[in-house]
Coordinates of all heavy atoms in Angstrom, one line a residue:
M1 N 119.2 -150.4 87.1 CA 118.7 -149.4 88.0 C 117.5 -148.8 87.5 O 117.4 -148.4 86.3 CB 119.9 -148.4 88.2 CG 119.5 -147.3 89.1 SD 120.7 -145.9 89.4 CE 122.3 -146.7 89.1
G2 N 116.5 -148.6 88.3 CA 115.3 -148.0 87.9 C 115.4 -146.4 88.0 O 116.3 -145.8 88.5
L3 N 114.4 -145.8 87.3 CA 114.4 -144.4 87.2 C 114.3 -143.7 88.6 O 115.0 -142.7 88.8 CB 113.2 -144.0 86.3 CG 113.0 -142.5 86.1 CD1 114.3 -141.9 85.4 CD2 111.8 -142.2 85.2
V4 N 113.5 -144.3 89.5 CA 113.4 -143.7 90.8 C 114.7 -143.6 91.5 O 115.1 -142.6 92.1 CB 112.3 -144.4 91.7 CG1 112.3 -143.9 93.1 CG2 110.9 -144.3 91.0
Q5 N 115.4 -144.7 91.4 CA 116.8 -144.8 92.0 C 117.7 -143.8 91.4 O 118.5 -143.2 92.1 CB 117.3 -146.2 92.0 CG 118.6 -146.4 92.8 CD 119.1 -147.8 92.8 OE1 118.4 -148.7 92.3 NE2 120.3 -148.0 93.3
E6 N 117.7 -143.7 90.1 CA 118.5 -142.8 89.4 C 118.2 -141.3 89.8 O 119.2 -140.6 90.1 CB 118.3 -142.8 87.8 CG 118.8 -144.1 87.2 CD 118.5 -144.2 85.8 OE1 118.1 -143.2 85.1 OE2 118.6 -145.3 85.2
I7 N 117.0 -141.0 89.9 CA 116.6 -139.6 90.4 C 117.1 -139.4 91.8 O 117.6 -138.4 92.2 CB 115.1 -139.4 90.3 CG1 114.6 -139.5 88.8 CG2 114.7 -138.1 90.9 CD1 115.1 -138.4 87.9
A8 N 116.9 -140.4 92.7 CA 117.3 -140.4 94.1 C 118.8 -140.1 94.2 O 119.3 -139.3 95.0 CB 116.9 -141.6 94.9
E9 N 119.6 -140.8 93.3 CA 121.1 -140.7 93.3 C 121.4 -139.3 92.8 O 122.4 -138.7 93.4 CB 121.7 -141.7 92.5 CG 121.7 -143.1 93.2 CD 122.4 -144.2 92.4 OE1 123.0 -143.9 91.4 OE2 122.3 -145.3 92.8
L10 N 120.7 -138.8 91.8 CA 121.0 -137.4 91.4 C 120.7 -136.4 92.5 O 121.6 -135.5 92.7 CB 120.0 -137.1 90.2 CG 120.0 -135.7 89.6 CD1 121.4 -135.4 89.0 CD2 119.0 -135.5 88.6
W11 N 119.7 -136.6 93.2 CA 119.4 -135.7 94.4 C 120.5 -135.7 95.4 O 121.0 -134.7 95.9 CB 118.1 -136.1 95.1 CG 116.9 -135.7 94.3 CD1 116.7 -135.5 93.0 CD2 115.6 -135.3 94.9 NE1 115.4 -135.2 92.7 CE2 114.7 -135.0 93.9 CE3 115.2 -135.3 96.2 CZ2 113.4 -134.7 94.1 CZ3 113.8 -135.0 96.5 CH2 113.0 -134.7 95.4
G12 N 121.0 -137.0 95.6 CA 122.1 -137.1 96.6 C 123.4 -136.3 96.2 O 124.0 -135.8 97.0
E13 N 123.6 -136.3 94.9 CA 124.8 -135.5 94.4 C 124.7 -134.1 94.8 O 125.7 -133.4 95.1 CB 124.9 -135.6 92.9 CG 125.3 -136.9 92.3 CD 125.3 -136.9 90.8 OE1 125.6 -135.8 90.2 OE2 125.0 -137.9 90.2
Y14 N 123.5 -133.5 94.7 CA 123.3 -132.1 94.9 C 122.9 -131.7 96.4 O 123.2 -130.6 96.8 CB 122.2 -131.5 94.0 CG 122.7 -131.4 92.6 CD1 122.4 -132.4 91.7 CD2 123.4 -130.3 92.1 CE1 122.8 -132.4 90.3 CE2 123.8 -130.3 90.8 CZ 123.6 -131.3 89.9 OH 124.0 -131.2 88.6
L15 N 122.4 -132.7 97.1 CA 121.9 -132.3 98.4 C 122.8 -132.6 99.5 O 123.2 -131.7 100.3 CB 120.5 -133.0 98.7 CG 119.4 -132.5 97.9 CD1 118.2 -133.4 98.0 CD2 119.0 -131.1 98.4
N16 N 123.3 -133.8 99.6 CA 124.1 -134.1 100.8 C 125.2 -135.2 100.5 O 126.0 -135.5 101.4 CB 123.2 -134.6 102.0 CG 122.4 -135.9 101.6 OD1 122.7 -136.5 100.5 ND2 121.5 -136.2 102.4
G17 N 125.3 -135.6 99.3 CA 126.3 -136.6 98.9 C 126.0 -138.0 99.5 O 126.8 -138.9 99.3
G18 N 124.9 -138.1 100.2 CA 124.6 -139.4 100.8 C 123.4 -140.1 100.1 O 123.0 -139.7 99.0
E19 N 122.9 -141.1 100.8 CA 121.8 -141.8 100.3 C 120.5 -141.0 100.4 O 120.2 -140.3 101.4 CB 121.6 -143.1 101.2 CG 122.6 -144.1 101.0 CD 122.5 -144.8 99.7 OE1 121.4 -145.2 99.3 OE2 123.6 -145.0 99.0
V20 N 119.7 -141.0 99.3 CA 118.4 -140.4 99.3 C 117.4 -141.5 98.9 O 117.6 -142.2 98.0 CB 118.3 -139.3 98.2 CG1 116.9 -138.7 98.1 CG2 119.3 -138.1 98.6
G21 N 116.4 -141.6 99.7 CA 115.3 -142.6 99.5 C 114.3 -142.1 98.5 O 114.1 -140.9 98.3
A22 N 113.5 -143.1 98.0 CA 112.5 -142.7 97.0 C 111.4 -141.8 97.5 O 110.8 -141.0 96.8 CB 111.8 -144.0 96.5
E23 N 111.2 -141.8 98.8 CA 110.1 -141.0 99.4 C 110.7 -139.9 100.3 O 109.9 -139.2 101.0 CB 109.1 -141.9 100.2 CG 108.4 -142.9 99.4 CD 107.5 -142.3 98.3 OE1 107.0 -141.2 98.5 OE2 107.4 -142.9 97.2
D24 N 112.0 -139.6 100.2 CA 112.5 -138.5 101.0 C 112.1 -137.2 100.4 O 112.0 -137.0 99.2 CB 114.1 -138.6 100.9 CG 114.6 -139.7 101.8 OD1 113.9 -140.2 102.6 OD2 115.8 -140.0 101.7
D25 N 111.8 -136.2 101.3 CA 111.3 -134.9 100.9 C 112.5 -134.0 100.6 O 113.4 -133.9 101.4 CB 110.5 -134.4 102.1 CG 109.9 -133.0 101.8 OD1 110.6 -132.0 102.0 OD2 108.7 -133.0 101.3
F26 N 112.4 -133.3 99.5 CA 113.4 -132.4 99.0 C 113.7 -131.4 100.0 O 114.9 -131.1 100.3 CB 112.9 -131.8 97.7 CG 113.8 -130.8 97.1 CD1 115.0 -131.1 96.5 CD2 113.5 -129.4 97.1 CE1 115.9 -130.2 95.9 CE2 114.4 -128.5 96.6 CZ 115.6 -128.9 96.0
F27 N 112.7 -130.7 100.6 CA 113.0 -129.6 101.5 C 113.5 -130.1 102.8 O 114.3 -129.5 103.5 CB 111.7 -128.8 101.7 CG 111.3 -128.1 100.4 CD1 110.2 -128.6 99.6 CD2 112.0 -127.1 99.8 CE1 109.9 -128.1 98.4 CE2 111.7 -126.5 98.6 CZ 110.6 -127.0 97.9
A28 N 113.0 -131.3 103.3 CA 113.5 -131.9 104.5 C 115.0 -132.2 104.4 O 115.7 -132.2 105.4 CB 112.7 -133.1 104.9
L29 N 115.5 -132.5 103.2 CA 116.9 -132.9 103.0 C 117.7 -131.6 102.9 O 119.0 -131.7 102.7 CB 117.0 -133.7 101.8 CG 116.4 -135.1 101.8 CD1 116.5 -135.8 100.4 CD2 117.2 -136.0 102.8
G30 N 117.1 -130.4 103.0 CA 117.9 -129.2 102.9 C 117.8 -128.6 101.5 O 118.6 -127.7 101.2
G31 N 116.9 -129.0 100.6 CA 116.8 -128.5 99.3 C 116.3 -127.0 99.3 O 115.6 -126.6 100.2
N32 N 116.8 -126.3 98.3 CA 116.4 -124.9 98.2 C 116.2 -124.6 96.7 O 116.4 -125.5 95.9 CB 117.4 -123.9 98.9 CG 118.8 -124.1 98.3 OD1 119.0 -124.2 97.1 ND2 119.8 -124.1 99.1
S33 N 115.9 -123.3 96.4 CA 115.5 -123.0 95.0 C 116.7 -123.2 94.1 O 116.6 -123.7 93.0 CB 115.0 -121.6 94.9 OG 115.9 -120.7 95.4
L34 N 117.9 -122.8 94.5 CA 119.1 -123.0 93.7 C 119.4 -124.5 93.4 O 119.6 -124.8 92.2 CB 120.3 -122.3 94.3 CG 121.6 -122.4 93.5 CD1 121.5 -121.7 92.2 CD2 122.7 -121.7 94.3
I35 N 119.3 -125.3 94.4 CA 119.6 -126.7 94.2 C 118.5 -127.3 93.3 O 118.7 -128.1 92.4 CB 119.6 -127.5 95.5 CG1 120.9 -127.0 96.3 CG2 119.6 -129.0 95.3 CD1 120.9 -127.5 97.7
G36 N 117.2 -126.9 93.5 CA 116.1 -127.4 92.7 C 116.3 -127.1 91.2 O 116.1 -127.9 90.4
I37 N 116.8 -125.9 90.9 CA 117.0 -125.5 89.5 C 118.1 -126.3 88.9 O 118.0 -126.7 87.8 CB 117.2 -124.0 89.4 CG1 115.9 -123.2 89.7 CG2 117.8 -123.6 88.1 CD1 116.1 -121.7 89.9
K38 N 119.2 -126.6 89.7 CA 120.3 -127.4 89.2 C 119.8 -128.8 88.9 O 120.1 -129.4 87.9 CB 121.4 -127.4 90.2 CG 122.2 -126.1 90.3 CD 123.2 -126.2 91.4 CE 124.0 -124.9 91.5 NZ 125.1 -125.0 92.5
I39 N 118.9 -129.4 89.8 CA 118.4 -130.7 89.5 C 117.5 -130.7 88.3 O 117.6 -131.6 87.5 CB 117.7 -131.2 90.8 CG1 118.7 -131.5 91.9 CG2 116.9 -132.5 90.4 CD1 118.1 -131.8 93.2
I40 N 116.7 -129.7 88.2 CA 115.8 -129.6 87.0 C 116.6 -129.5 85.7 O 116.2 -130.2 84.7 CB 114.8 -128.4 87.2 CG1 113.8 -128.6 88.3 CG2 114.1 -128.0 85.8 CD1 113.1 -127.3 88.7
D41 N 117.7 -128.8 85.7 CA 118.5 -128.7 84.6 C 119.1 -130.0 84.2 O 119.2 -130.4 83.1 CB 119.7 -127.7 84.8 CG 119.2 -126.2 84.6 OD1 118.1 -126.0 84.1 OD2 119.9 -125.3 85.1
R42 N 119.6 -130.8 85.2 CA 120.2 -132.1 85.0 C 119.1 -133.1 84.5 O 119.4 -133.9 83.6 CB 120.8 -132.7 86.3 CG 122.2 -132.3 86.6 CD 123.2 -133.0 85.7 NE 123.3 -134.4 85.8 CZ 123.9 -135.1 86.8 NH1 124.6 -134.4 87.7 NH2 123.9 -136.4 86.8
V43 N 117.9 -133.0 85.0 CA 116.8 -133.9 84.5 C 116.6 -133.6 83.0 O 116.5 -134.5 82.2 CB 115.6 -133.7 85.3 CG1 114.4 -134.3 84.6 CG2 115.7 -134.3 86.7
S44 N 116.6 -132.3 82.7 CA 116.4 -131.9 81.3 C 117.5 -132.5 80.4 O 117.3 -133.1 79.3 CB 116.4 -130.4 81.1 OG 116.3 -130.0 79.8
Q45 N 118.8 -132.4 80.8 CA 119.9 -132.9 80.1 C 119.9 -134.4 80.0 O 120.2 -135.0 78.9 CB 121.3 -132.4 80.7 CG 121.5 -131.0 80.6 CD 122.8 -130.6 81.5 OE1 123.6 -131.5 81.9 NE2 122.9 -129.3 81.7
D46 N 119.7 -135.1 81.1 CA 119.9 -136.5 81.2 C 118.7 -137.3 80.6 O 118.8 -138.4 80.1 CB 120.0 -137.0 82.6 CG 121.4 -136.5 83.2 OD1 122.2 -135.9 82.5 OD2 121.6 -136.7 84.5
Y47 N 117.5 -136.7 80.7 CA 116.3 -137.4 80.3 C 115.5 -136.7 79.2 O 114.5 -137.3 78.8 CB 115.4 -137.7 81.6 CG 116.1 -138.4 82.6 CD1 116.6 -137.8 83.7 CD2 116.2 -139.8 82.5 CE1 117.3 -138.5 84.7 CE2 116.9 -140.5 83.5 CZ 117.4 -139.9 84.6 OH 118.1 -140.5 85.6
G48 N 115.8 -135.5 78.8 CA 115.1 -134.8 77.8 C 113.7 -134.4 78.1 O 112.9 -134.2 77.3
V49 N 113.5 -134.2 79.4 CA 112.2 -133.8 79.9 C 112.3 -132.4 80.7 O 113.2 -132.3 81.6 CB 111.6 -134.8 80.9 CG1 110.3 -134.3 81.5 CG2 111.4 -136.1 80.1
E50 N 111.5 -131.5 80.2 CA 111.5 -130.1 80.9 C 110.5 -130.2 82.0 O 109.3 -130.3 81.8 CB 111.1 -129.1 79.9 CG 112.1 -128.9 78.7 CD 113.4 -128.3 79.1 OE1 113.4 -127.5 80.1 OE2 114.4 -128.5 78.5
L51 N 111.0 -130.0 83.2 CA 110.1 -129.9 84.4 C 109.9 -128.4 84.8 O 110.9 -127.7 84.8 CB 110.6 -130.7 85.6 CG 110.8 -132.2 85.4 CD1 111.5 -132.7 86.7 CD2 109.5 -132.9 85.1
S52 N 108.7 -128.0 85.1 CA 108.6 -126.7 85.7 C 109.1 -126.7 87.1 O 109.0 -127.7 87.8 CB 107.1 -126.2 85.6 OG 106.3 -126.9 86.5
V53 N 109.5 -125.5 87.6 CA 109.9 -125.4 89.0 C 108.7 -125.7 89.9 O 108.9 -126.5 90.9 CB 110.4 -124.0 89.2 CG1 110.7 -123.7 90.7 CG2 111.7 -123.7 88.4
R54 N 107.6 -125.3 89.5 CA 106.4 -125.5 90.3 C 106.1 -127.0 90.4 O 105.9 -127.5 91.5 CB 105.2 -124.8 89.7 CG 103.9 -124.9 90.6 CD 102.8 -124.1 89.9 NE 101.6 -124.0 90.8 CZ 100.7 -125.0 91.0 NH1 100.8 -126.1 90.3 NH2 99.7 -124.8 91.8
A55 N 106.1 -127.7 89.3 CA 105.9 -129.2 89.3 C 106.9 -129.9 90.2 O 106.6 -130.8 90.9 CB 105.8 -129.7 87.9
F56 N 108.2 -129.5 90.0 CA 109.2 -130.1 90.8 C 109.0 -129.9 92.3 O 109.1 -130.9 93.1 CB 110.6 -129.5 90.4 CG 111.7 -130.1 91.2 CD1 112.3 -131.3 90.8 CD2 112.3 -129.4 92.3 CE1 113.4 -131.8 91.5 CE2 113.3 -129.9 93.0 CZ 113.9 -131.1 92.6
Y57 N 108.7 -128.7 92.7 CA 108.5 -128.4 94.1 C 107.3 -129.1 94.7 O 107.3 -129.6 95.8 CB 108.4 -126.9 94.4 CG 109.7 -126.2 94.2 CD1 109.7 -124.8 94.0 CD2 110.9 -126.9 94.3 CE1 110.9 -124.2 93.9 CE2 112.1 -126.2 94.2 CZ 112.1 -124.8 94.0 OH 113.3 -124.2 93.8
L58 N 106.2 -129.2 93.9 CA 105.0 -129.9 94.3 C 105.3 -131.4 94.4 O 104.7 -132.1 95.3 CB 103.8 -129.6 93.4 CG 103.3 -128.2 93.5 CD1 102.2 -128.0 92.4 CD2 102.7 -127.9 94.9
A59 N 106.1 -132.0 93.6 CA 106.4 -133.4 93.6 C 107.1 -133.8 94.9 O 106.8 -134.8 95.5 CB 107.2 -133.8 92.4
Q60 N 108.1 -133.1 95.3 CA 108.9 -133.2 96.5 C 109.7 -134.4 96.8 O 110.5 -134.5 97.6 CB 108.0 -132.9 97.7 CG 107.5 -131.5 97.8 CD 106.7 -131.3 99.1 OE1 106.1 -132.2 99.7 NE2 106.8 -130.1 99.6
T61 N 109.4 -135.5 96.1 CA 110.2 -136.8 96.3 C 110.7 -137.3 95.0 O 110.2 -137.1 94.0 CB 109.3 -137.9 97.0 OG1 108.3 -138.3 96.0 CG2 108.6 -137.4 98.2
P62 N 111.8 -138.1 95.1 CA 112.3 -138.7 93.9 C 111.3 -139.6 93.1 O 111.2 -139.6 91.9 CB 113.5 -139.5 94.4 CG 114.0 -138.8 95.6 CD 112.7 -138.3 96.2
A63 N 110.5 -140.3 93.9 CA 109.5 -141.2 93.3 C 108.5 -140.4 92.4 O 108.2 -140.7 91.3 CB 108.7 -142.0 94.3
R64 N 108.0 -139.2 93.0 CA 107.1 -138.4 92.2 C 107.7 -137.7 91.1 O 107.1 -137.5 90.0 CB 106.4 -137.4 93.2 CG 105.4 -138.2 94.1 CD 104.5 -137.2 94.9 NE 104.3 -137.7 96.2 CZ 104.5 -137.0 97.3 NH1 104.8 -135.7 97.3 NH2 104.2 -137.5 98.5
V65 N 109.0 -137.3 91.3 CA 109.7 -136.6 90.2 C 109.9 -137.6 89.0 O 109.8 -137.3 87.9 CB 111.0 -136.0 90.6 CG1 111.9 -135.6 89.5 CG2 110.7 -134.8 91.6
A66 N 110.2 -138.9 89.4 CA 110.4 -139.9 88.4 C 109.1 -140.1 87.6 O 109.1 -140.3 86.4 CB 110.8 -141.2 89.0
G67 N 108.0 -140.0 88.3 CA 106.7 -140.1 87.6 C 106.5 -138.9 86.6 O 105.9 -139.2 85.5
L68 N 106.9 -137.7 87.0 CA 106.8 -136.6 86.1 C 107.7 -136.8 84.9 O 107.3 -136.5 83.7 CB 107.2 -135.3 86.8 CG 106.3 -134.8 87.9 CD1 106.9 -133.6 88.6 CD2 104.9 -134.5 87.4
V69 N 108.9 -137.4 85.1 CA 109.8 -137.7 84.0 C 109.1 -138.7 83.0 O 109.2 -138.5 81.8 CB 111.2 -138.2 84.5 CG1 112.0 -138.7 83.3 CG2 111.9 -137.1 85.2
E70 N 108.5 -139.7 83.6 CA 107.9 -140.7 82.8 C 106.7 -140.1 82.0 O 106.5 -140.4 80.8 CB 107.4 -141.9 83.6 CG 108.5 -142.8 84.1 CD 108.1 -143.8 85.1 OE1 107.0 -143.8 85.6 OE2 109.0 -144.7 85.4
Q71 N 105.9 -139.3 82.6 CA 104.9 -138.6 81.9 C 105.4 -137.7 80.8 O 104.9 -137.7 79.7 CB 104.1 -137.7 82.9 CG 103.2 -138.4 83.8 CD 102.5 -137.5 84.8 OE1 102.6 -136.3 84.7 NE2 101.9 -138.0 85.9
G72 N 106.5 -137.0 81.0 CA 107.1 -136.2 80.0 C 107.7 -137.0 78.9 O 107.5 -136.6 77.7
R73 N 108.2 -138.1 79.1 CA 108.7 -139.0 78.1 C 107.6 -139.5 77.2 O 107.7 -139.7 76.0 CB 109.4 -140.2 78.6 CG 110.8 -139.9 79.2 CD 111.4 -141.2 79.8 NE 112.8 -141.1 80.1 CZ 113.5 -142.0 80.7 NH1 112.9 -143.0 81.2 NH2 114.8 -141.8 80.9
A74 N 106.4 -139.8 77.8 CA 105.3 -140.3 77.1 C 104.7 -139.2 76.1 O 104.1 -139.6 75.1 CB 104.2 -140.7 78.1
L75 N 104.9 -138.0 76.4 CA 104.4 -136.9 75.6 C 105.3 -136.6 74.4 O 104.9 -135.9 73.5 CB 104.3 -135.6 76.4 CG 103.2 -135.7 77.5 CD1 103.3 -134.4 78.3 CD2 101.8 -136.0 77.0
T76 N 106.6 -137.1 74.4 CA 107.5 -136.8 73.3 C 107.5 -137.9 72.3 O 107.1 -139.0 72.5 CB 108.9 -136.6 73.8 OG1 109.4 -137.8 74.5 CG2 109.0 -135.4 74.7

């Protein structure tokens, strides 16, 4: 399973329990600040990458968040 799919599944756990696509928009799926912070915390635990709330919100899709995780991994 690729990183984008893993991130999409993580979002599904917190957002609607259903399928989330790579390009699905966080806010269109019903995302809010509390859910965003929970996902950011999980990304930190699971991947060892600290995302800022601002970066997460600007990314808006699992594909772009996966890109941020990959960038964060490259810096460590």
Side-chain angles (χ1 to χ4, degrees):
M1 176 184 333
L3 182 58
V4 174
Q5 186 177 352
E6 290 175 16
I7 298 291
E9 288 184 5
L10 174 64
W11 284 30
E13 287 179 34
Y14 287 96
L15 288 166
N16 58 13
E19 290 286 318
V20 174
E23 297 299 328
D24 285 347
D25 183 273
F26 177 72
F27 298 105
L29 293 171
N32 59 42
S33 59
L34 181 59
I35 294 170
I37 290 169
K38 289 179 180 181
I39 292 172
I40 290 167
D41 285 345
R42 273 288 296 279
V43 167
S44 176
Q45 290 173 16
D46 293 355
Y47 301 101
V49 174
E50 297 287 334
L51 299 177
S52 73
V53 172
R54 183 177 192 279
F56 178 82
Y57 289 159
L58 289 174
Q60 291 186 331
T61 69
R64 289 191 215 131
V65 169
L68 294 175
V69 169
E70 289 172 348
Q71 288 174 8
R73 285 177 167 172
L75 297 175
T76 58

